[in-house]
Amino acid sequence: MSMKPLEHDRRYGELDQVMRAYLGRPADDTAERRSAALDAYLRHTWHTRPWAIAEAERQLREYSRPPPGRLRLRLGEYYAIPDVGLPESAIQDWLMVLADHLKQSVEDGEVPPPTTPQTHWEWHARFPETAQLLGGWFSQDITDEFPDHNAAIQDYAATTDPQLMARLVGELRELLALPLGESDYALAVAELGMEVDPPEPFSYGAWLTSVAADLAT
């Protein structure tokens, strides 16, 4: 039978976070240079869960040592590395390169400075409740469920815990504080799951500002 969630998280939980950071990104790390995906993982994790980086380094090394048998893989008793565009024969060396970069970052105290998210994973890791709102209430199906954008916002407010709603307001204000232009806001909301345009006459930035103000009250 497959691993239980507690066992999975103990053995592979942080490894899985590192692998998720490579979603849609090339695994082009070398011994001399980190990939954009690993930079994004380090940037977000240093500023939110710095202790997890050492755990990720340990799990990467542990995983790369004993190759799993086919039976363990078939039974789901071993973490299956997602397709990162590398041949299977190169995966073990790549994981060790990642572990070395994480170790160096911790030992040197190299904390990447905050910046605008650079990858899909980083957008969702930094703004999870915003992704919940935009991806859940503002998909292409919005016209089948709500008469307009305001009705969707009201439904979110009526069905969401006030503490989560307060977290969303904080995330929106943080998003609006980033040095973004209007085209950047359009990219940001698309990364976070929004599939429709803001209501007229709002721009993306103005609509996000309006949503934050409405939900704050």
Side-chain angles (χ1 to χ4, degrees):
M1 61 184 297
S2 61
M3 284 184 293
K4 295 185 181 298
L6 183 61
E7 180 185 4
H8 173 277
D9 288 350
R10 281 175 173 169
R11 296 170 64 182
Y12 311 119
E14 202 57 33
L15 163 67
D16 184 55
Q17 286 299 308
V18 177
M19 294 300 100
R20 288 174 183 271
Y22 282 85
L23 177 66
R25 307 294 304 191
D28 55 358
D29 309 83
T30 67
E32 296 76 27
R33 183 185 61 82
R34 296 192 303 253
S35 65
L38 192 60
D39 271 342
Y41 169 81
L42 277 170
R43 184 167 44 246
H44 180 73
T45 309
W46 260 117
H47 291 277
T48 56
R49 302 178 301 120
W51 59 87
I53 299 172
E55 179 62 16
E57 187 258 353
R58 184 192 67 79
Q59 290 184 10
L60 282 162
R61 293 194 193 280
E62 287 293 324
Y63 182 93
S64 65
R65 285 171 186 152
R70 293 181 180 179
L71 179 61
R72 290 182 66 192
L73 280 173
R74 182 163 57 85
L75 294 177
E77 295 178 350
Y78 201 84
Y79 180 81
I81 295 289
D83 184 5
V84 293
L86 295 176
E88 186 174 349
S89 59
I91 292 293
Q92 184 175 11
D93 289 342
W94 174 66
L95 293 176
M96 293 300 288
V97 167
L98 300 190
D100 288 343
H101 280 305
L102 296 183
K103 179 182 178 181
Q104 181 181 8
S105 180
V106 173
E107 291 185 339
D108 295 348
E110 181 195 350
V111 182
T115 187
T116 301
Q118 300 297 304
T119 69
H120 180 78
W121 175 88
E122 192 175 8
W123 278 108
H124 282 253
R126 187 165 172 181
F127 300 106
E129 195 59 31
T130 306
Q132 178 71 14
L133 169 68
L134 298 182
W137 275 262
F138 291 95
S139 68
Q140 294 179 348
D141 298 329
I142 183 175
T143 55
D144 297 331
E145 301 180 37
F146 306 106
D148 54 32
H149 289 61
N150 186 60
I153 291 294
Q154 294 304 314
D155 183 76
Y156 169 85
T159 58
T160 302
D161 186 279
Q163 296 181 64
L164 293 178
M165 194 156 55
R167 183 178 303 169
L168 169 66
V169 172
E171 287 184 11
L172 289 175
R173 289 173 174 166
E174 180 181 350
L175 175 58
L176 291 163
L178 296 175
L180 302 178
E182 189 54 34
S183 61
D184 300 316
Y185 283 125
L187 173 63
V189 298
E191 289 281 8
L192 292 168
M194 189 171 182
E195 298 178 339
V196 295
D197 293 331
E200 295 183 351
F202 289 102
S203 65
Y204 285 99
W207 181 68
L208 292 173
T209 301
S210 175
V211 171
D214 289 345
L215 292 178
T217 57

